[in-house]
Structure formats: C-alpha cells, structure tokens
Amino acid sequence: QVQLVESGGGLVQAGGSLTLSCAASGSIFSINAMGWYRQAPGKQRELVAAITRGGSTNYADSVKGRFTISRDNAKNTVYLQMNSLKPEDTAVYYCNAEIQTWGTPWDDYWGQGTQVTVSS
C-alpha cells in the first residue's frame, strides 16, 4: 500500500508565500516523476509543476518565476515553494507520483489534496 500525504496549505494574503510538502510512504521500490496539480472550483485539474527523478522540471506558464518544485529522493518527498501568490492561485493542490511498488508495474498515485486560499 502506498500513501501520499500532503501538508503546508492554508490561507495567505496576495503576495505572500507558502510551501507545500508531499511525502510518499509504503512498499515503494522506486519513484519516477513527481508533481503538483491544482483544481479550482468549477475548473479542471491542471498541472502546476513536475520534476523527474533526475531533477528536470517543468512548470505551467501561469506559475513560472513564482513557484519552485524540488524533491528529496532519500525522503521520497516533493516540495512546492510558492511565492508572490495571487488570488487566482486559490485551489486544492494535489500531489502526484509515478511509483513502482515491489513486484508491480509503475502506477500513478495521488494525495488527498490540500487547500490553498489566497486573499486579495
């Protein structure tokens, strides 16, 4: 069984910062790409940022220059540093990881989501 547990969401004023963390645990053999998605009310879930095991990153255009994704492979943890937050960043943020467990093929896993609210 694999779990992704997110933390770090909350309420912040526009221009402020938050850092999200997501730790994977369980019978993990290897983790490939990890990423953050978000879903605002009435909108589809969208990719915010992703990072490969080797550290290559990609970002949604709307967050480039403001958000930074990083990971600690030893801790099976991915982070999202969010600076210069805007009200339009308000959403539920979900962690995603491509994980191989012992004796099984790669599969996608999701966290439970953490709310980020940016007030104007």
Side-chain angles (χ1 to χ4, degrees), residues 10-50:
L11 173 64
V12 65
Q13 287 189 330
S17 298
L18 281 175
T19 300
L20 305 182
S21 300
C22 171
S25 63
S27 302
I28 296 171
F29 177 70
S30 184
I31 302 178
N32 195 7
M34 303 184 82
W36 291 94
Y37 288 71
R38 68 186 180 187
Q39 187 166 20
K43 294 189 176 181
Q44 287 190 332
R45 190 174 296 189
E46 63 175 359
L47 175 68
V48 176

Side-chain angles (χ1 to χ4, degrees), residues 4-8 21-23 36 93-96 110-114:
L4 298 182
V5 179
E6 300 134 336
S7 60
S21 300
C22 171
W36 291 94
Y93 284 70
Y94 296 91
C95 173
N96 172 267
W110 292 89
Q112 79 284 358
T114 185

Side-chain angles (χ1 to χ4, degrees), residues 36 38 43 46-49 58-68 82-90 93:
W36 291 94
R38 68 186 180 187
K43 294 189 176 181
E46 63 175 359
L47 175 68
V48 176
N58 70 284
Y59 297 91
D61 287 343
S62 59
V63 306
K64 282 180 182 176
R66 300 188 298 121
F67 291 10
T68 302
M82 304 185 292
N83 299 326
S84 302
L85 282 160
K86 304 175 181 180
E88 50 264 44
D89 294 318
T90 295
Y93 284 70

